[in-house]
């Protein structure tokens, strides 16, 4: 972007933009009219009546100007197009007519009552409406009756933080935003307040400012199902005394009421399904530990009445003062409250708090390999840091896959990610880990991948794991993520054009002296063999770039592949400007010509910006 003082204007009469340089020179750029591409025109001509292609037997029109552009596409013809060209079998004539009526309503206010079909421009605009022609299936379509362990689950980490991990405010607002986005696992760290009489939520042993637990619980109650009816799991990092644990149980019971689900037995043999837990809230944490005051009063003084049930690394107060030393302190990444001695509650003193725990959790006390031994009559949740996952997958990758077939595996960011950045989620997903805990305020490419994965299955927060991750062979063998596989299918992506930047940005946002120079980058992110990147040519000085380029991506494991798309504006002197991004699960892509909406850096959908693309699987 230019730095000199500048002005610009839009000349509506001449259909051009004027850019002034140095208050002396005037540059005028003509606005190119957006017209259908050849593929769009050919598709219309093939299916429209009077378009030269027979129109699928329709009778809504019979005129033609020779190139087919004056034809009309009625409900029957649109049905044929959606079935034959877009792969949407099962569309009824009534549904097609509703689409036509909606397009006409948006485009023709005066003549909408006399129009019953689409002309070429209407058809072109229909293809560009991302709500009518989305790139992925917009509703829940997967089997939701399998146990929870069969699903990837949209998971947050330290869900209450507004910014960095050391000094930002704690608030219920990030919890609300996460739930509205579809996150299904909310993490709360529970600590006694300064008087020891109530419970706060904060990142322990840091400078983060606390928020009362009751605020977070009420927010979860009010927003849990604002975007999805499927269960919300609250993972608790508990640093409380037994009295405060009892208070948590009372709060949860009173606030959630019938929404709160907990089993009758102490432990589950198999997890319930998402479908069986509609509009229910469940709690996951380590079972509470009884203190040893009766046997050893020194323990009470030593631990200051705090329960040793944290699963994650927590910075120590003295370490906060020297952040540089923390970066190189290996103990910081390995020490955890959970390394202390655990004492199970006696059978005759089971608190109400323990009864509310549906998913029993823990962190490895010995070797991870030992912890991942599958128990036949019990399921549980295990938490590993991203470094522990890397080490375990390098040496025991199939053990991880085997464990996640029945149990839940949660992966959390390493303790040195002070700025709330995130890690690469694919290694966890390829090994079947259900809960990849992310900092939802840690904007960046890793979070874009998380957004992309959970756009699948209607954005409900639960995505069914591929069948190969759940299968066992005759000799108990499971999927080996390290094994190289042959190409299963090839995804062909054609990028036609883009539109909407002129409506969402000022005309000098990208370049002070001329219209923008857009190009599109595409990435396949999946198993290592599938990773790839492609780039279109740069279209200079045009708010409506037309690339019309096709790219091929051979895929060995398409079920776990994500297509990440990013539009940039070329800048000779500075870093290329950001023009929008999205990420889509390859397994969910709908074939045919599709409208692909773009999002900003924080993952918020842009109002007008979208691409017209085509997807073909071979």
């Amino acid at each position: 972007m230019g730095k000199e003082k500048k002005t610009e204007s839009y000349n509506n009469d001449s259909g051009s933009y004027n850019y002034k340089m140095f208050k002396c020179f005037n540059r005028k750029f003509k606005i190119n009219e957006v017209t259908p591409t050849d593929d769009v025109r050919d598709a219309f001509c093939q299916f429209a009546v009077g378009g030269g292609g027979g129109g699928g037997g329709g009778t809504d029109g019979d005129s033609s100007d020779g190139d087919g552009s004056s034809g009309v596409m009625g409900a029957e013809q649109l049905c044929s197009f959606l079935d034959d060209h877009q792969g949407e079998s099962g569309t009824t004539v009534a549904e097609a007519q509703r689409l036509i009526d909606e397009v006409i309503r948006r485009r023709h206010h005066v003549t909408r009552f006399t129009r019953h079909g689409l002309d070429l421009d209407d058809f072109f605009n229909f293809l560009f409406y991302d709500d009518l022609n989305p790139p992925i299936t917009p509703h829940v379509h997967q089997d939701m009756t399998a146990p929870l362990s069969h699903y990837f689950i949209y998971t947050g980490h330290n869900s209450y933080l507004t910014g960095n991990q050391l000094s930002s405010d704690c608030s219920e607002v990030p919890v609300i935003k996460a739930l509205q986005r579809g996150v299904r696992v909310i993490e709360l760290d529970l600590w006694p307040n300064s008087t020891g009489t109530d419970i706060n939520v904060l990142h322990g042993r840091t400078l983060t400012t606390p928020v009362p637990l009751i605020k977070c619980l009420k927010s979860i109650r009010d927003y849990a199902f604002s975007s999805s009816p499927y269960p919300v799991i609250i993972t608790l990092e508990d640093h409380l005394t037994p009295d405060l644990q009892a208070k948590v149980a009372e709060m949860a019971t009173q606030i959630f009421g019938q929404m709160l689900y907990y089993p009758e037995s102490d432990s589950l043999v198999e997890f319930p399904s998402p479908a069986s837990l509609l509009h229910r809230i469940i709690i996951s944490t380590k079972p509470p530990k009884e203190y040893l005051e009766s046997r050893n009063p020194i323990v009470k003084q030593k631990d200051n009445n705090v329960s040793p049930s944290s699963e994650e690394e927590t910075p120590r107060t003295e370490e906060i003062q020297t952040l540089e030393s923390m970066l190189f302190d290996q103990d910081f990444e390995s020490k955890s409250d959970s390394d202390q001695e655990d004492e199970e509650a006696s059978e005759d003193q089971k608190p109400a708090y323990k009864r509310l725990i549906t998913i029993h959790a823990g962190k490895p006390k010995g070797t991870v390999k030992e912890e991942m031994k599958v128990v036949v009559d019990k399921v549980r949740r295990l938490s590993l840091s991203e470094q522990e996952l890397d080490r375990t997958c390098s040496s025991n990758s199939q053990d991880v896959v085997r464990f996640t077939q029945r149990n839940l595996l949660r992966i959390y960011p390493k303790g040195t990610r002070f700025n709330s950045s995130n890690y690469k989620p694919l290694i966890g997903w390829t090994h079947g880990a259900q809960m990849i805990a992310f900092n939802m305020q840690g904007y960046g490419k890793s979070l874009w991948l998380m957004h992309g994965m959970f756009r699948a299955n209607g954005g409900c927060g639960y995505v069914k794991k591929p069948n190969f991750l759940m299968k066992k062979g005759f000799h108990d063998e499971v999927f080996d993520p390290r094994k190289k596989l042959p190409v299963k299918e090839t995804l062909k992506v054609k990028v036609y054009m883009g539109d909407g930047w002129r409506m969402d940005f000022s005309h000098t946002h990208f370049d002070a002296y001329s219209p923008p120079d857009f190009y599109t980058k595409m990435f396949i992110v999946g198993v290592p063999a599938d990773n790839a990147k492609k780039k279109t040519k740069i279209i200079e000085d045009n708010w409506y770039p037309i690339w019309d380029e096709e790219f091929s991506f051979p895929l060995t494991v398409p079920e776990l592949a994500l297509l990440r798309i990013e539009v940039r504006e070329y800048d000779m002197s500075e870093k290329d400007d950001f023009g929008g991004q999205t990420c889509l699960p390859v397994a969910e892509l709908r074939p045919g010509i599709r409208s692909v909406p773009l999002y900003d850096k924080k993952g918020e959908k842009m109002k007008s910006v979208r691409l017209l693309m085509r997807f073909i699987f071979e």
Side-chain angles (χ1 to χ4, degrees):
M1 294 173 63
K3 301 302 180 186
E4 292 84 353
K5 185 176 180 181
K6 70 278 181 183
T7 61
E8 56 81 25
S9 63
Y10 168 53
N11 190 332
N12 191 45
D13 295 331
S14 62
S16 62
Y17 284 111
N18 295 326
Y19 291 81
K20 283 194 174 182
M21 300 177 62
F22 313 111
K23 297 183 180 181
C24 300
F25 305 104
N26 186 55
R27 303 185 73 194
K28 182 179 289 187
F29 292 87
K30 182 180 179 181
I31 298 177
N32 296 321
E33 182 181 355
V34 182
T35 58
T37 65
D38 290 341
D39 284 356
V40 171
R41 188 181 297 272
D42 291 345
F44 180 80
C45 293
Q46 179 182 350
F47 292 95
V49 173
T59 58
D60 287 344
D62 56 7
S63 64
S64 175
D65 63 356
D67 66 355
S69 61
S70 63
V72 176
M73 183 176 287
E76 290 186 7
Q77 293 79 49
L78 182 57
C79 241
S80 297
F81 167 77
L82 294 175
D83 188 3
D84 297 344
H85 194 279
Q86 304 286 87
E88 297 180 40
S89 58
T91 304
T92 66
V93 173
E95 291 169 340
Q97 187 61 55
R98 282 194 290 272
L99 291 173
I100 290 173
D101 293 343
E102 180 59 23
V103 174
I104 292 174
R105 184 190 68 78
R106 297 183 190 186
R107 286 180 44 78
H108 304 283
H109 297 292
V110 177
T111 61
R112 65 182 183 273
F113 297 112
T114 60
R115 288 176 173 265
H116 303 290
L118 304 177
D119 61 22
L120 176 60
D121 285 337
D122 293 332
F123 177 68
F124 177 48
N125 278 271
F126 158 70
L127 292 176
F128 240 134
Y129 289 138
D130 61 86
D131 58 331
L132 303 182
N133 184 37
I136 60 176
T137 304
H139 53 78
V140 176
H141 59 91
Q142 297 176 353
D143 175 23
M144 302 301 286
T145 62
L148 291 174
S149 57
H150 289 226
Y151 300 85
F152 298 127
I153 309 173
Y154 206 173
T155 302
H157 173 258
N158 290 352
S159 305
Y160 49 86
L161 286 178
T162 58
N164 68 67
Q165 300 288 309
L166 296 178
S167 61
S168 64
D169 292 334
C170 301
S171 170
E172 74 279 10
V173 174
V175 174
I176 294 172
K177 288 182 178 179
L179 292 169
Q180 290 175 329
R181 188 178 282 278
V183 173
R184 297 291 86 190
V185 182
I186 298 295
E187 182 186 25
L188 303 176
D189 286 70
L190 309 185
W191 292 82
N193 67 354
S194 57
T195 62
T197 58
D198 208 348
I199 304 108
N200 282 335
V201 175
L202 74 154
H203 196 199
R205 303 191 183 101
T206 68
L207 303 178
T208 55
T209 58
V211 59
L213 171 64
I214 192 168
K215 276 191 174 183
C216 294
L217 296 184
K218 287 182 176 179
S219 297
I220 293 172
R221 175 197 64 193
D222 296 341
Y223 292 91
F225 308 108
S226 57
S227 64
S228 170
Y230 292 98
V232 168
I233 302 170
I234 305 175
T235 61
L236 300 178
E237 289 287 327
D238 169 13
H239 307 266
L240 303 176
T241 64
D243 288 344
L244 290 181
Q245 289 174 345
K247 190 167 185 175
V248 171
E250 183 181 3
M251 277 187 190
T253 303
Q254 290 180 355
I255 292 172
F256 296 139
Q258 294 299 312
M259 299 167 72
L260 187 62
Y261 169 86
Y262 51 92
E264 296 180 0
S265 59
D266 285 346
S267 59
L268 296 171
V269 176
E270 184 178 66
F271 288 118
S273 70
S276 69
L277 295 171
L278 289 175
H279 297 102
R280 303 300 291 271
I281 294 171
I282 59 182
I283 292 175
S284 175
T285 186
K286 294 180 69 176
K289 309 302 180 239
E290 295 297 310
Y291 291 98
L292 308 178
E293 303 117 55
S294 58
R295 283 177 280 174
N296 187 356
I298 298 176
V299 174
K300 180 176 179 180
Q301 300 174 11
K302 182 179 178 181
D303 291 346
N304 195 26
N305 273 343
V306 174
S307 174
S309 58
S310 170
E311 295 176 47
E312 300 185 20
E313 300 91 342
T314 307
R316 301 178 181 275
T317 305
E318 60 271 18
E319 289 173 324
I320 299 171
Q321 300 169 0
T322 55
L323 298 185
E324 289 185 4
S325 66
M326 294 172 72
L327 288 168
F328 302 97
D329 186 359
Q330 297 302 315
D331 291 339
F332 173 75
E333 295 182 0
S334 61
K335 289 182 180 178
S336 169
D337 290 332
S338 63
D339 293 335
Q340 302 176 41
E341 185 70 21
D342 290 337
E343 292 292 330
E344 294 292 344
S346 60
E347 288 298 315
D348 58 345
Q349 278 189 308
K350 289 179 183 175
Y353 181 73
K354 183 177 180 179
R355 289 202 302 271
L356 299 185
I357 301 172
T358 296
I359 302 175
H360 287 210
K363 190 176 186 292
K365 301 173 190 176
T367 65
V368 176
K369 184 176 179 64
E370 287 295 319
E371 286 291 329
M372 284 194 171
K373 287 185 176 178
V374 178
V375 181
V376 176
D377 60 348
K378 183 180 179 181
V379 290
R380 57 204 166 95
R381 171 171 70 82
L382 185 65
S383 288
L384 298 178
S385 69
E386 57 177 289
Q387 308 105 305
E388 289 174 317
L389 177 69
D390 286 340
R391 290 193 295 267
T392 305
C393 292
S394 297
S395 56
N396 302 291
S397 61
Q398 288 182 287
D399 289 335
V400 179
V401 175
R402 192 174 290 108
F403 177 83
T404 58
Q405 291 182 337
R406 295 191 67 243
N407 301 279
L408 297 178
L409 181 59
R410 174 178 170 271
I411 310 303
Y412 57 89
K414 62 185 178 182
T416 50
R417 291 188 180 274
F418 309 126
N419 62 350
S420 295
S421 62
N422 289 300
Y423 49 99
K424 295 179 180 179
L426 265 297
I427 184 173
W429 288 332
T430 55
H431 287 79
Q434 297 88 350
M435 297 180 175
I436 307 297
F438 259 37
N439 296 306
M440 295 301 161
Q441 76 279 27
Y443 306 117
K445 294 174 183 177
S446 292
L447 189 58
W448 296 349
L449 298 178
M450 181 66 66
H451 291 164
M453 169 62 84
F454 289 100
R455 288 191 177 105
N457 201 24
C460 74
Y462 287 84
V463 176
K464 192 81 158 48
K465 295 201 291 188
N467 288 335
F468 62 77
L469 284 173
M470 305 306 300
K471 287 183 178 178
K472 284 186 180 180
F474 291 111
H475 302 289
D476 203 35
E477 66 269 20
V478 296
F479 173 71
D480 185 355
R482 296 174 299 181
K483 184 178 179 181
K484 289 187 178 181
L485 300 171
V487 172
K488 189 173 184 179
E489 64 183 6
T490 298
L491 169 65
K492 289 189 173 181
V493 179
K494 191 165 189 177
V495 189
Y496 290 115
M497 63 175 64
D499 190 16
W501 289 280
R502 185 172 61 87
M503 283 77 82
D504 290 359
F505 296 91
S506 70
H507 300 138
T508 54
H509 176 85
F510 295 105
D511 198 309
Y513 308 122
S514 65
D517 309 319
F518 287 124
Y519 65 92
T520 298
K521 298 192 294 183
M522 284 164 290
F523 305 81
I524 289 292
V525 184
V527 299
D530 292 347
N531 292 338
K533 59 181 178 180
K534 306 285 185 179
K535 176 182 171 182
T536 67
K537 59 181 177 286
I538 298 170
I539 303 298
E540 297 183 353
D541 300 333
N542 202 322
W543 284 99
Y544 307 104
I546 298 175
W547 296 285
D548 206 24
E549 293 184 66
E550 187 172 58
F551 305 92
S552 295
F553 298 97
L555 302 172
T556 61
V557 187
E559 297 90 343
L560 292 174
L562 297 169
L563 174 64
R564 190 172 76 78
I565 303 166
E566 188 174 347
V567 175
R568 289 275 174 178
E569 196 273 336
Y570 175 70
D571 197 316
M572 290 182 62
S573 58
E574 300 178 4
K575 183 179 179 181
D576 292 352
D577 295 314
F578 176 81
Q581 61 83 23
T582 190
C583 187
L584 301 169
V586 168
E588 296 264 322
L589 288 175
R590 307 167 84 192
I593 302 172
R594 301 293 176 181
S595 176
V596 179
L598 297 187
Y599 299 77
D600 64 18
K601 290 183 178 181
K602 293 185 177 182
E604 299 297 327
K605 186 178 178 182
M606 292 179 168
K607 184 178 179 181
S608 310
V609 180
R610 56 209 186 276
L611 302 176
L612 192 65
M613 307 180 72
R614 186 185 69 189
F615 306 109
I616 296 176
F617 290 95
E618 293 182 346

